[in-house]
Amino acid sequence: MNGENNYRDDDGTQASLKLIFETGGDFNAFAGSESNEEKFSETTQGNKNIELIHSNMQKKLVPEIGMEFETEEEAFKFYNAYAYGVGFSIRRSKFHKEKCGKLRDRLFVCSAEGKREKNKCDGSVKSHRAETRFGCLARMKISCRLNDKYCVTEFVPEHTHVTSSPCKTHFFRSHRNMSLAQIVEADMADSSGIAPKATLELLSRQAGGRQNLGFIPVDYKNYLRSKRTREMRVGDTGGLLEYLQQMQLNDPNFFYAIQVDEDDMITNIFWADARMMVDYDYFGDVVCFDTTYRKNKEGRPFAMFVGVNNHRQTVVFGAALLYAETADTFIWLFDTFVKAMSGKKPISILTDQDAAMAKALLSEWPETCHRLCIWHIYQNAAKHLSNAFEKFKNFTKDFGRCIYDYEDEDDFINAWNNMLEKYNLKDNDWLRRLFNIKEQWALVYGRQTFCADITTTQRSESMNSALKKYVSYKYDLLRFFQHFQRLVEDRRYQELKAEFRASQSSPALSFPVEILKHASNIYTPEVFKLFQDELCKAHDCVLKFNGEIGSISKYEVIPHKKYWHHTVTFDSIDNTRWTKNIKAKSTKSTCNVSSENDSKVEIVRRYRELCRLHTQLATRASESKDAYETAILGLNNTLRDVDACLKKKASQEPTQVISKTTSASKLNEYICIDDDIIKVRGIKTKTKVVGNSKRPKNALEKLTKKKKPRNKEECALLEQEPDSHNETIHMPTQSQATMDIS
């Protein structure tokens, strides 16, 4: 358009409302005051009503014959803004093009124009959709036959149907459009796990009401659906690789590995970011490892390596999505985990009683102490010894004493044999096999190995339980990865809170003695509580110094009224593990990150800084022609200088031989495995999970749950049974199973 009527919308944000916002965001520019809304509200009084509406609108907002527009899109946006004020919707209709392909003319019509065409299937349709076309003749036509600009050659303002009031106009299709800013906010909300309803509520409040939002709930649902459809077109393979590569771009130390089968299909995926590697470097002496199901749409087993930090919080060292729980899978996973952690293996690892895991650990980590989760031992006992638990009241107590109580190996073996004799279990095959691996579960064999006060995989179980709040079994692999990251970030924020409390508060002392004062200053509050309890128990023990070799000091600790003793070893060199400032004082590198990774970090930092400056330059230089030409000239000169600098550097450096092993982040669909470049054809799929994501009941829960009678006859039989058959079986809870006798 010419003069004051030339409205552009270069940023693409809700163009149909731009003219309204230019009037101060007030609909009265179109419709007058709210008290006069009835003057232009839903009515069909033709010319008289249209003239009244036009009289309450600014003249420049009403189409006129002879108005000119630079493009067809400008004309559409102008007419759509006019339609918003009057209370109707528009659509593009007939047009003509020249031989060169240029649009010659275009007709914009009211959405109620024409009549619905008859369909051959109408006779078989039980319920027809509501009629929305009433033969309305309101229109605006533009043409560029006279010059290069599009000129309004026809304008019909009268309608043959009911128009809408401003508070309802936002329901019309041509006035519904998500702006770029709203799309960004919606994507952030979706990636944060916020429900669509809550997202719409937030955006509506920001816009000052739903009528000002610019779209309706169904538009948002359609956007999310189309977004996921686009992700599906990319495919699980492309989307997953793109996500992993993006993570590595954001974090150059991000590590991931992919295993493929003989058909080049992805079977197993492992990943760990730089923070996980750092945490493992500090707290990776003890690792809990467990797998869980029903966390993604394909039902793949999900595994996590977790541990405990100096605040006694659970930290994630790495995660994996597996295809199957076989020994070969675990061998690959444990080997890959150690490679990611610069060769460091844990002192001890806790797992469930899985034969495939045990075989893989013996093969890959033979020097690591493999302990079995005591809670899983109880689960399996409830399954294989259900008759003993039901028949004998004291069996639970005697079985638990064999696990926890004994300090001497001979005492443990005698107690075990007595239990078998007492309950007639000498021929039980499961107990025989359990005794053969007694070193992995009986605490009498595990007290010499550092375990960070962990005797079960409860931390892994807790993380799996927390994961339910972030992911659904309906999620595909890409969404699973995205929402798992939310769990990791939330756990790290909890650690940040703990660090803040530790730095800004001091724990209460049981006794005002110097050793407790010193401990409260160096230990985190959670570790200080443990130290304080142990100090109190120490008063009932006899301590003997057994000598010192280098930095290693040994002590004998004899508990009150006991004939045996514990040997306590102290290393004065490594005395920072559970302190408040372990990460600040430690001189360890970030998992021995190589200089190559250091250079990657620096490259990313420089790249981001250059992008920021370039964006500022482009934004400011585009405001005028002179500024643009100055920027182009300067950039061309800069590019020549940069090329010269890089050529000079290349000539001074020795020729580098490119290894056959290529970083997976630099490949699109090629993954480096065993020093070979393998083309990935896709992700190997599993049978989809049918049902919900509820955890199956374990043996203990099934054993202790009372069955409901199915009919009256069964109720009568139960009432006649003696009380001994109705005794409740008391089994230790998981929290009780974690108890460790000091």
Side-chain angles (χ1 to χ4, degrees), residues 524-653:
T524 62
E526 292 298 326
V527 175
F528 172 76
K529 292 178 183 177
L530 290 178
F531 177 85
Q532 188 168 243
D533 292 341
E534 291 296 325
L535 184 64
C536 293
K537 294 175 183 177
H539 290 286
D540 285 336
C541 300
V542 177
L543 305 179
K544 290 184 179 180
F545 179 65
N546 268 5
E548 184 176 9
I549 302 177
S551 62
I552 306 296
S553 302
K554 290 188 176 182
Y555 302 85
E556 278 189 7
V557 180
I558 305 175
H560 181 58
K561 294 183 179 180
K562 302 291 183 180
Y563 63 90
W564 39 261
H565 69 271
H566 290 294
T567 300
V568 178
T569 303
F570 171 68
D571 188 349
S572 60
I573 294 179
D574 188 14
N575 60 354
T576 62
R577 180 178 304 280
W578 307 113
T579 60
K580 295 179 181 179
N581 303 317
I582 173 176
K583 295 182 180 180
K585 293 181 179 179
S586 177
T587 58
K588 297 178 182 179
S589 63
T590 306
C591 290
N592 300 322
V593 176
S594 65
S595 59
E596 178 184 357
N597 284 337
D598 290 336
S599 64
K600 288 181 180 178
V601 174
E602 186 63 20
I603 289 173
V604 171
R605 185 194 65 78
R606 292 195 295 258
Y607 175 81
R608 289 177 177 172
E609 179 66 14
L610 289 171
C611 286
R612 182 183 65 81
L613 293 174
H614 185 270
T615 301
Q616 292 181 2
L617 175 64
T619 302
R620 300 182 64 181
S622 61
E623 294 180 359
S624 73
K625 184 177 180 180
D626 292 341
Y628 165 78
E629 292 177 349
T630 301
I632 290 296
L633 179 61
L635 285 173
N636 288 331
N637 293 333
T638 302
L639 284 173
R640 284 193 294 269
D641 294 342
V642 169
D643 288 339
C645 180
L646 293 176
K647 288 179 180 179
K648 181 179 179 181
K649 179 183 177 183
S651 63
Q652 295 174 349
E653 293 181 350

Side-chain angles (χ1 to χ4, degrees), residues 697-710:
K697 293 186 181 300
N698 56 51
L700 285 178
E701 293 169 331
K702 292 178 180 178
L703 182 64
T704 57
K705 182 180 179 181
K706 294 183 179 179
K707 295 183 178 180
K708 295 182 179 180
R710 290 173 292 183

Side-chain angles (χ1 to χ4, degrees), residues 72-81 90-92 108:
E72 181 260 357
E73 182 66 19
E74 284 188 16
F76 175 82
K77 292 176 180 179
F78 174 81
Y79 191 48
N80 197 40
I90 68 169
R91 56 185 168 84
R92 289 178 170 91
F108 304 111

Side-chain angles (χ1 to χ4, degrees), residues 180-199:
L180 180 60
Q182 290 171 332
I183 288 175
V184 171
E185 290 194 60
D187 287 342
M188 291 177 61
D190 183 51
S191 62
S192 300
I194 301 176
K197 184 177 180 180
T199 302

